[in-house]
Amino acid sequence: MIKSSELILNPDGSVYHLNLKPEHIANDIIFVGDQNRVEKITQFFSHIEFSQQKREFKTQTGLFKGKRITVMSTGIGPDNIDIVMNELDALVNIDLVTRKPKEALTSLNIIRMGTSGSLQADIPVDSFVMSKYGLGLDNMLRSYLVEQVSNPALEDAFMMHTNWDIKKGRPYVIACSENLERMIESDRMHKGITATAGGFYGPQGRILRLEIQDNDLNSKMDNFNFNEHRITNLEMETAAIYGLSALLGHNALSLNAIIANRASGTFSDDPYKAVDELIAYTLDKIAAAK
């Protein structure tokens, strides 16, 4: 039995942070960072059966072209992903009454749709990026036995190429779900490695008033290449989603509308248009899946 201090439930039996019960979620789940983006997706649903919000975690479940889909905001950063992934898994794989893991486990399909900045000059604003790998620079996954699902060869190559300071912790690399990759794949998608930072400013190389540990890290990431896989973009959630999904037995894929290009210093003239196009494309692919 899992103790009450470890799996915290609200008085109504819902999981603590998400405020959800098992019947509230579908097997196909879309993650967004911004709670205001949830309804940008569910506005296309023919029916919304459930809506809930607690803190930054907003959830809506409904039907799109006959397919039951849940859309959920995770907020920003790997720490929030730790909350969301563990509580989602508890909803489907732990009996919340007996507090025991179920014998037959359920595998969720999780697709993150976000916005990001490209590190490569040839991946322009308004394009789409599919994260073949998530490269975690944040250390959150090191609290788990991530070595079971990580790619040490790619990790070692990255550390050598960037002269990585091990005092910041060892980066981890996790692959996306091959099933979801095949389902979403298109000629419009750029593929590569998405780096996940633990913060927005210093951890992503931005300098305001504080000096950072490695001023050249972004430029070193720009020209990193491992078996023809480049680092395409930098954000704050993908690697954590990939790592926890792999460890828990779920399928995960991260898609980003590129609204900024760090290499050229450009920003999209209409970032909302790129996001809307990514939403429409992804919903159609999910609805068409068997």
Side-chain angles (χ1 to χ4, degrees):
M1 175 184 274
I2 301 170
K3 295 179 181 178
S4 298
S5 60
E6 310 308 295
L7 175 58
I8 304 169
L9 301 179
N10 295 310
D12 65 355
S14 62
V15 290
Y16 183 63
H17 295 90
L18 302 184
N19 213 24
L20 301 175
K21 296 180 180 178
E23 62 267 25
H24 295 155
I25 64 168
N27 270 35
D28 293 289
I29 299 175
I30 295 173
F31 282 174
V32 294
D34 184 355
Q35 57 192 284
N36 293 323
R37 196 171 290 160
V38 170
E39 289 179 348
K40 284 185 69 67
I41 297 175
T42 60
Q43 66 177 321
F44 299 107
F45 286 13
S46 60
H47 171 67
I48 296 175
E49 66 180 65
F50 175 80
S51 185
Q52 178 67 278
Q53 180 164 5
K54 184 178 180 182
R55 304 184 188 186
E56 63 267 52
F57 307 116
K58 182 172 184 175
T59 303
Q60 290 191 333
T61 297
L63 295 178
F64 177 78
K65 296 185 177 179
K67 189 70 170 277
R68 190 169 185 255
I69 300 172
T70 292
V71 184
M72 174 182 295
S73 62
T74 64
I76 299 174
D79 51 344
N80 273 16
I81 297 303
D82 183 57
I83 291 171
V84 171
M85 286 299 308
N86 276 288
E87 292 194 5
L88 278 179
D89 182 75
L91 288 173
V92 295
N93 288 321
I94 296 174
D95 186 315
L96 300 184
V97 176
T98 65
R99 295 180 169 273
K100 294 180 180 180
K102 297 177 180 177
E103 291 186 8
L105 299 181
T106 296
S107 182
L108 299 170
N109 294 318
I110 298 166
I111 297 177
R112 178 185 184 271
M113 281 198 283
T115 55
S116 184
S118 169
L119 297 179
Q120 303 294 338
D122 62 336
I123 300 179
V125 295
D126 302 326
S127 61
F128 300 159
V129 161
M130 175 187 289
S131 306
K132 179 74 176 174
Y133 294 97
L135 165 64
L137 310 177
D138 57 278
N139 280 330
M140 190 275 287
L141 256 291
R142 290 293 171 192
S143 295
Y144 300 94
L145 303 178
V146 68
E147 293 85 359
Q148 299 174 4
V149 295
S150 64
N151 186 323
L154 207 162
E155 294 164 4
D156 289 341
F158 174 79
M159 293 175 68
M160 181 174 294
H161 178 80
T162 58
N163 192 27
W164 186 260
D165 187 343
I166 197 62
K167 292 195 295 291
K168 295 191 292 185
R170 180 183 172 89
Y172 59 92
V173 176
I174 315 290
C176 72
S177 161
E178 293 183 357
N179 290 338
L180 293 183
E181 179 185 5
R182 286 192 294 269
M183 185 179 88
I184 298 294
E185 196 165 22
S186 82
D187 293 338
R188 186 170 178 180
M189 293 283 178
H190 297 269
K191 288 186 183 182
I193 303 167
T194 292
T196 295
F200 183 78
Y201 288 97
Q204 294 191 36
R206 293 181 172 93
I207 300 174
L208 301 184
R209 290 203 314 114
L210 295 177
E211 290 299 317
I212 59 176
Q213 184 269 334
D214 186 352
N215 286 285
D216 300 319
L217 180 58
N218 278 16
S219 61
K220 288 184 284 190
M221 289 198 296
D222 291 349
N223 54 44
F224 176 69
N225 192 306
F226 183 83
N227 292 341
E228 300 185 1
H229 294 297
R230 301 178 300 165
I231 298 177
T232 52
N233 60 315
L234 181 59
E235 45 83 272
M236 296 179 63
E237 289 84 27
T238 292
I241 294 169
Y242 281 12
L244 287 172
S245 293
L247 287 169
L248 291 166
H250 304 297
N251 300 303
L253 185 69
S254 180
L255 308 174
N256 275 278
I258 298 300
I259 62 171
N261 188 292
R262 299 287 295 276
S264 63
T266 55
F267 192 85
S268 174
D269 292 331
D270 189 357
Y272 300 108
K273 181 174 183 289
V275 172
D276 288 345
E277 289 178 353
L278 180 60
I279 290 170
Y281 175 83
T282 304
L283 282 176
D284 281 338
K285 287 292 186 178
I286 294 174
K290 299 292 185 181

